[in-house]
């Protein structure tokens, strides 16, 4: 499950939106990783992007996965995201 989650998070910023000014995506990633954001609040914040109950279940599982991780794992994901944002694939040039 950890690998799947990390791969999903890697795929998002590789399009270079997160590191180049897509505030919504950056907020979604931060909310996903934050243990201060409950599942209920997470679902409310992103309800407009959930098309059906299957989407809601998938997002609930994703958020629950990060709520169960230790702080070292979450910190490592933050480091990975910053590395991607600062990579040559997301440069401004």
């Amino acid at each position: 499950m950890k690998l799947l989650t990390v791969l999903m998070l890697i795929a998002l910023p590789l399009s270079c939106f997160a590191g180049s000014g897509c505030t919504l995506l950056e907020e979604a990633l931060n909310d996903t990783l934050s243990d201060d954001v409950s599942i209920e609040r997470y679902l409310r914040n992103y309800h407009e992007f959930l098309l059906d109950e299957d989407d809601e279940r998938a997002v609930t599982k994703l958020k629950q996965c990060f709520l169960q991780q230790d702080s070292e794992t979450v910190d490592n994901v933050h480091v990975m995201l910053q590395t991607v944002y600062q990579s040559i694939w997301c440069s401004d040039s």
Side-chain angles (χ1 to χ4, degrees), residues 33-85:
L33 297 172
S34 174
D35 60 354
D36 293 333
V37 178
S38 68
I39 292 174
E40 294 77 21
R41 181 172 152 204
Y42 190 75
L43 290 172
R44 273 194 316 272
N45 289 352
Y46 303 103
H47 181 72
E48 65 187 283
F49 302 106
L50 307 177
L51 302 178
D52 55 25
E53 290 180 11
D54 289 337
D55 288 350
E56 188 172 319
R57 279 192 297 274
V59 168
T60 298
K61 286 181 180 182
L62 176 69
K63 180 61 182 167
Q64 184 62 44
C65 174
F66 278 101
L67 288 173
Q68 295 172 337
Q69 301 306 311
D70 59 27
S71 61
E72 182 181 7
T73 300
V74 174
D75 290 345
N76 287 339
V77 174
H78 279 292
V79 169
M80 178 207 58
L81 290 173
Q82 290 308 311
T83 302
V84 171
Y85 298 160

